[in-house]
Amino acid sequence: MLKTALKPKWIAALAFALAVAAAFVLLSQWQFSRSLEKDVAPPSVTEQVQPLHDIMDPGEPMLGTAEGQLVTAQGQFDPGKQVLVPSRLQDGEEGYWVVTAFAVDGAVPPVGTAATKEVVIPVARGWTASPDNVPTAPAGQLSIEGRLLNSEGPELAKDLPEGQVKALSSAELTNIWSVSTYSAFIVSHSEVLDGKDVGASGKAGGLVPITVTATDQNDKINWLNIFYSAEWVLFAGFAVFLWWRLVADDYRRDQDELFDIDAEDDADHDEDDVDAEDDDDADGGDHSAGPRAGIDAN
């Protein structure tokens, strides 16, 4: 089989297979390095308060690097646009998030026929144990500060009372409030009006501040990229295996051809032997007839 593998065409095929395998190994290394990359910024970045306008724009998806970022924004609450989100835990107790639309000053409306001039961002102002007697959002021009989080996926729940939603989904709230909405929400830490905190943290709003810590995913591994990395290694091995299989098939074809030639030679040899025997039989018949004829003549 070594003689077959040393044919020029198979040496060239081996060089090509090794080149392909090397490329696959490089892709495997790239996927492995990707598995260690983080899409979420570390707390050292997210804990630095940034203006909301610098982090994201209305109508754009939220990037992983902005997840958990502390932001600040100026504007005013719209008390007529408020919902409760049930099944929210606070210190082990189940209750409700109070979410109110906050009209952001200077927000550029997204492009589209359904876009409105006013742009709001949902703000989770605080937590309450009961849906009754929820305090009204503070009025006036405020400056809020809080943690920016990605919008939750909408969930269908037909048995909820009016004014409640199953999840804090910007897409759902856009339809409920009929206004352009950021694809994210803010968990309020402070709501400053005339230099005074009038939010849940200021103990003036009748709500419990929501506890949300910085998002830290620096110790997580992307297992999907690990899987892709192993997959490329298998592809590299398959490239070399395919070359070996083709060489083995060529070697078997050569062996079959040699076997057919030997079989033909054996068949020709057998025919020659048969012809020789026939000739011997013919010669023997003539010799036996000669003496008999002489006897008959005498």
Side-chain angles (χ1 to χ4, degrees):
M1 186 169 174
L2 179 61
K3 186 177 180 180
T4 303
L6 292 177
K7 291 180 179 180
K9 67 175 182 178
W10 293 125
I11 293 177
L14 176 60
F16 178 74
L18 292 177
V20 171
F24 287 165
V25 170
L26 291 177
L27 288 172
S28 174
Q29 293 179 344
W30 173 71
Q31 287 289 356
F32 184 78
S33 63
R34 288 274 297 172
S35 69
L36 303 178
E37 293 181 1
K38 307 303 170 188
D39 294 330
V40 179
S44 59
V45 175
T46 59
E47 295 308 288
Q48 299 178 8
V49 182
Q50 301 288 336
L52 176 61
H53 296 310
D54 295 345
I55 301 302
M56 66 181 303
D57 294 322
E60 294 184 355
M62 181 179 182
L63 301 178
T65 52
E67 177 76 18
Q69 178 69 51
L70 288 177
V71 296
T72 182
Q74 289 71 43
Q76 54 187 353
F77 284 110
D78 186 345
K81 296 180 175 64
Q82 181 169 282
V83 295
L84 300 180
V85 185
S87 303
R88 301 290 162 152
L89 295 177
Q90 183 74 16
D91 298 329
E93 185 178 356
E94 189 172 303
Y96 303 82
W97 279 6
V98 180
V99 180
T100 309
F102 185 79
V104 181
D105 290 346
V108 179
V111 178
T113 57
T116 59
K117 293 182 179 180
E118 182 186 42
V119 180
V120 303
I121 186 168
V123 175
R125 296 194 294 116
W127 178 90
T128 181
S130 173
D132 303 326
N133 300 322
V134 175
T136 305
Q141 196 71 14
L142 299 100
S143 175
I144 67 169
E145 180 183 314
R147 195 172 299 281
L148 186 68
L149 298 177
N150 202 0
S151 174
E152 299 175 357
E155 297 183 28
L156 180 62
K158 298 181 180 180
D159 56 341
L160 287 178
E162 185 178 356
Q164 295 187 24
V165 292
K166 184 66 176 178
L168 208 169
S169 167
S170 296
E172 183 177 0
L173 294 178
T174 296
N175 294 325
I176 294 175
W177 293 339
S178 299
V179 66
S180 296
T181 309
Y182 280 83
S183 59
F185 67 93
I186 295 176
V187 174
S188 176
H189 290 176
S190 67
E191 300 161 13
V192 178
L193 175 64
D194 296 331
K196 181 181 179 182
D197 188 354
V198 294
S201 299
K203 305 299 181 183
L207 298 173
V208 177
I210 298 173
T211 303
V212 178
T213 57
T215 303
D216 185 8
Q217 298 184 10
N218 290 329
D219 59 343
K220 294 185 178 180
I221 296 176
N222 190 330
W223 289 104
L224 182 60
N225 289 107
I226 292 289
F227 171 78
Y228 289 151
S229 177
E231 194 175 52
W232 282 118
V233 171
L234 292 177
F235 288 160
F238 181 76
V240 178
F241 169 78
L242 182 61
W243 170 85
W244 174 85
R245 188 58 185 267
L246 293 174
V247 171
D249 289 343
D250 190 23
Y251 172 76
R252 280 193 291 269
R253 283 193 298 269
D254 291 342
Q255 294 300 310
D256 291 341
E257 290 177 0
L258 290 175
F259 178 79
D260 292 339
I261 293 173
D262 292 340
E264 290 178 0
D265 290 341
D266 291 340
D268 293 340
H269 181 69
D270 291 340
E271 289 180 1
D272 292 340
D273 290 343
V274 171
D275 292 339
E277 290 178 0
D278 291 341
D279 292 340
D280 291 341
D281 291 342
D283 292 342
D286 292 340
H287 292 157
S288 59
R292 182 66 182 178
I295 294 173
D296 290 341
N298 292 329

